[in-house]
Amino acid sequence: QVQPVESGGGLVQAGGSLTLSCAASGRTFSTYGMGWFRQAPGKEREFVAAISWTGGYTYYADSVKGRFTISRDNAKNTVYLRMNSLKPEDTAVYYCAADRSSRLTTSQNEYDYWGQGTQVTVSS
């Protein structure tokens, strides 16, 4: 079992950058697929990015492709989301999630453990 804890959110101007971190406790972290999701006010939670347990495979939502980069450091039990060229529409609470089946998946239902979220606000 892992418990993800997000950090790194904040207020940034449009065009700026932020890096979110997700520290996950548990000895089996390196075997979990990891994902980032976000939920904007009044909207459903949506997929942002996912990374395989080795870090060798990644997948992105079209809306962030080319701007966001997901990575992981299994020695530190941490997953990162580097966000560049931020837009006001990226404003949301960002959640980190862990999939114990080690899949690379975009489906929220496939993830077993979720963090509490970190707020990202992009001003225009």
Side-chain angles (χ1 to χ4, degrees):
Q1 182 172 348
V2 298
Q3 180 55 56
V5 178
E6 305 93 339
S7 62
L11 174 64
V12 63
Q13 288 188 328
S17 299
L18 276 177
T19 298
L20 304 183
S21 298
C22 173
S25 62
R27 293 180 296 174
T28 56
F29 169 82
S30 62
T31 66
Y32 284 55
M34 300 295 295
W36 285 96
F37 292 79
R38 67 186 182 186
Q39 186 167 20
K43 294 188 176 182
E44 300 280 325
R45 188 162 59 186
E46 63 177 6
F47 168 77
V48 175
I51 189 167
S52 63
W53 67 277
T54 63
Y57 296 95
T58 58
Y59 191 78
Y60 298 92
D62 288 343
S63 58
V64 307
K65 201 172 295 182
R67 299 188 298 122
F68 290 12
T69 302
I70 188 171
S71 62
R72 68 189 297 162
D73 185 340
N74 286 342
K76 296 182 179 180
N77 279 17
T78 302
V79 175
Y80 304 96
L81 185 68
R82 174 65 177 178
M83 305 185 294
N84 295 328
S85 303
L86 282 161
K87 305 175 182 179
E89 51 264 43
D90 294 318
T91 295
V93 177
Y94 283 71
Y95 298 91
C96 175
D99 169 23
R100 62 188 173 192
S101 298
S102 307
R103 291 164 293 203
L104 184 69
T105 177
T106 66
S107 172
Q108 298 183 50
N109 294 334
E110 305 289 355
Y111 287 87
D112 303 289
Y113 306 106
W114 292 81
Q116 294 299 306
T118 185
Q119 176 71 46
V120 172
T121 303
V122 184
S123 63
S124 57

